[in-house]
Amino acid sequence: MADTANPNTLVKVALTGHSHDDAAAVFEALRAAFPSDRAASDVPQSEADDARPTVWTASYEVREAPQGEPAATSLKGSVTATVQGGYRAVDVLRGVLEGAFSVQEKGTASGDQEKETELVLESR
């Protein structure tokens, strides 16, 4: 489980897309690298109408960079990821995403102690 007591290492991730399978693949790649507030059995669900975008969220405790390179992961389509947390933690989490997916940055908003970055993830 993610430790919500340390805001500098906690990264909140919100995924938007049409496929709950793609959201599950992204969360699985992140869960392999960092402790999460979601159990491995807590996979994204979808409504009967999968044509509408849905938002799935999870938090990750990013204390240090994981060892090794994550495996490339296939996605059916693109997923938008909004990541928010401490500067270093967001950068480390983004590095894991870049190891598993093709990542394009859409924008960043910076504050005193946190930043929020919007990324588009696709298969490599």
Side-chain angles (χ1 to χ4, degrees):
M1 290 284 187
D3 174 14
T4 58
N6 189 346
N8 292 325
T9 60
L10 185 68
V11 178
K12 298 172 189 169
V13 178
L15 302 178
T16 306
H18 292 286
S19 169
H20 65 279
D21 291 331
D22 286 348
V26 173
F27 284 150
E28 183 177 325
L30 291 173
R31 191 175 11 262
F34 309 111
S36 175
D37 67 338
R38 305 287 179 162
S41 61
D42 186 4
V43 295
Q45 303 295 314
S46 67
E47 297 293 322
D49 179 10
D50 229 4
R52 297 180 311 193
T54 304
V55 177
W56 298 278
T57 62
S59 296
Y60 296 89
E61 184 67 29
V62 182
R63 291 183 185 259
E64 56 188 58
Q67 300 299 315
E69 188 72 22
T73 304
S74 293
L75 299 174
K76 295 176 186 174
S78 65
V79 176
T80 300
T82 302
V83 295
Q84 178 185 16
Y87 282 87
R88 182 185 172 284
V90 167
D91 291 342
V92 170
L93 185 131
R94 179 181 175 157
V96 168
L97 291 174
E98 288 173 339
F101 308 99
S102 170
V103 176
Q104 178 183 11
E105 184 175 311
K106 287 301 209 181
T108 297
S110 300
D112 285 345
Q113 298 177 20
E114 284 190 339
K115 73 175 175 178
E116 179 177 293
T117 302
E118 185 174 335
L119 307 169
V120 176
L121 312 176
E122 296 178 325
S123 295
R124 286 186 181 196

